[in-house]
Amino acid sequence: MNKNWEIYKEYLNSCIVRNESVKNTTYRTYINSMKQFIEYLRRYENNCYLLNRKNSKNMVVILERYIRYCREVKGNNASTINNKITAISSFYIWAVKRDLIATHPFRDKLDRLKVTDVEKRRNSYYLTNKEIIEINIKMEMDKQYDLQDRIIFNLIIDTACRISALQSIKIDNIDLESGIIFGIVEKEQKIVEFAVFEETVNLIKEWLRCRNDNIEYLLVTKYNGVFKQMSKSTIRDRVRKIGKLVGIENLYPHSLRKTSINLIA
């Protein structure tokens, strides 16, 4: 087991003890960011140990190389890179408090990247009723789009739920008879429930009949032969693919959420 990953797991356990409610939101995002950084250290920085004193002195230089890697290889924008650096910084703040290192290796030494107006701007689309119908018809006819694509699209249109809520839906949260999804933790830890239309309920029923796994979540993906909860990035990728059915190159889950709110208003 990678030594860096072992010490990071200790940090995660400490965080979850302190605030268990964000285990599947903030900390999951931090895990994904840190996995990439640890893999970068293994491949490009001689697998240097996060808490090594010598490496700590060089951490600013290492992070500057990592920032270039994120930008040039991964195609990340400044906002995404800043979030990844925040995840790394949080680990070091914990390490200092635990006396695992004497000082934070890059606090006040590494400036946050400037997020340009272009990067802040995200095209937002309000789908029309015609486009919603067109998408549903095309998804049903095109084998490139599966049941989960159709469920994702229709659940957001039906409920205006956020991506975090959508990702967290468990099979036990769904009452198929009443068409209610209950017990979902939304923003600011609010417990909410959603009403789902009959067409979406039927899609969910069909999907559950097809399932041959024991995963508790409604939306799943197969990673390296193993079924797991679908990630937010996978949901975003699926929504982006759905948008292309009506000529939209960058459709986001939030655009579907705003479409739903706009239809209700």
Side-chain angles (χ1 to χ4, degrees):
M1 179 67 73
N2 188 297
K3 194 176 180 182
N4 282 328
W5 185 240
E6 284 296 317
I7 189 63
Y8 193 70
K9 282 169 63 178
E10 288 188 29
Y11 158 74
L12 283 174
N13 183 64
S14 177
C15 290
I16 292 168
V17 168
R18 186 173 68 251
N19 190 358
E20 201 270 345
S21 64
V22 294
K23 179 175 67 174
N24 292 318
T25 53
T26 303
Y27 296 149
R28 186 180 291 274
T29 302
Y30 278 15
I31 289 170
N32 291 334
S33 295
M34 204 65 180
K35 274 184 178 177
Q36 181 180 299
F37 182 54
I38 289 171
E39 177 61 16
Y40 170 83
L41 294 177
R42 187 187 70 81
R43 293 182 62 183
Y44 301 106
E45 301 290 349
N46 199 29
N47 202 28
C48 67
Y49 183 43
L50 289 165
L51 299 180
N52 183 289
R53 184 176 299 177
K54 180 181 177 181
N55 292 333
S56 293
K57 291 180 179 179
N58 297 327
M59 188 53 68
V60 172
V61 176
I62 290 172
L63 281 172
E64 286 174 341
R65 289 196 289 261
Y66 179 61
I67 288 168
R68 287 197 62 185
Y69 168 81
C70 289
R71 181 186 290 135
E72 297 170 14
V73 177
K74 292 296 185 179
N76 298 149
N77 62 27
S79 180
T80 298
I81 295 171
N82 282 336
N83 289 338
K84 290 180 177 182
I85 299 303
T86 296
I88 298 167
S89 180
S90 296
F91 164 76
Y92 279 116
I93 291 170
W94 169 82
V96 170
K97 289 179 179 178
R98 290 296 179 93
D99 293 324
L100 298 174
I101 53 174
T103 59
H104 191 299
F106 62 89
R107 175 177 276 178
D108 300 325
K109 298 176 184 177
L110 189 71
D111 294 330
R112 290 179 65 82
L113 303 186
K114 184 177 180 180
V115 180
T116 66
D117 290 338
V118 172
E119 289 177 323
K120 288 178 183 177
R121 195 180 305 123
R122 173 184 285 185
N123 289 331
S124 185
Y125 302 94
Y126 291 90
L127 298 181
T128 64
N129 279 315
K130 180 182 176 182
E131 287 172 324
I132 292 170
I133 293 169
E134 183 179 351
I135 285 172
N136 271 315
I137 291 173
K138 287 183 175 179
M139 281 199 293
E140 187 174 3
M141 297 175 64
D142 192 334
K143 292 183 179 179
Q144 292 185 65
Y145 298 85
D146 61 17
L147 278 169
Q148 291 198 98
D149 290 323
R150 296 168 66 189
I151 289 169
I152 288 168
F153 178 76
N154 283 286
L155 272 177
I156 302 177
I157 294 297
D158 286 1
T159 68
C161 66
R162 292 180 171 86
I163 188 173
S164 57
L166 178 66
Q167 182 205 25
S168 69
I169 296 173
K170 297 179 180 179
I171 296 171
D172 287 347
N173 295 129
I174 307 169
D175 185 337
L176 293 171
E177 294 302 317
S178 65
I180 298 294
I181 298 175
F182 58 90
I184 303 300
V185 180
E186 261 277 16
K187 196 173 183 180
E188 298 177 354
Q189 305 306 305
K190 292 179 180 177
I191 307 297
V192 298
E193 63 179 37
F194 305 116
V196 182
F197 291 116
E198 185 178 358
E199 181 181 349
T200 307
V201 170
N202 290 335
L203 289 172
I204 293 172
K205 286 179 179 178
E206 186 178 352
W207 169 233
L208 294 180
R209 285 195 296 268
C210 296
R211 291 273 294 269
N212 59 356
D213 61 80
N214 58 358
I215 305 302
E216 60 183 338
Y217 293 97
L218 174 64
L219 301 174
V220 298
T221 310
K222 203 172 185 179
Y223 297 98
N224 298 321
V226 179
F227 283 101
K228 293 184 178 180
Q229 177 189 21
M230 187 178 290
S231 68
K232 291 180 185 177
S233 62
T234 299
I235 294 173
R236 291 189 187 98
D237 288 343
R238 284 174 174 261
V239 171
R240 193 175 297 116
K241 184 179 72 169
I242 290 168
K244 293 178 180 179
L245 289 170
V246 287
I248 300 174
E249 288 297 320
N250 290 298
L251 184 66
Y252 297 94
H254 191 64
S255 297
L256 297 183
R257 170 174 155 77
K258 292 204 292 186
T259 293
S260 176
I261 294 170
N262 192 50
L263 290 172
I264 295 170

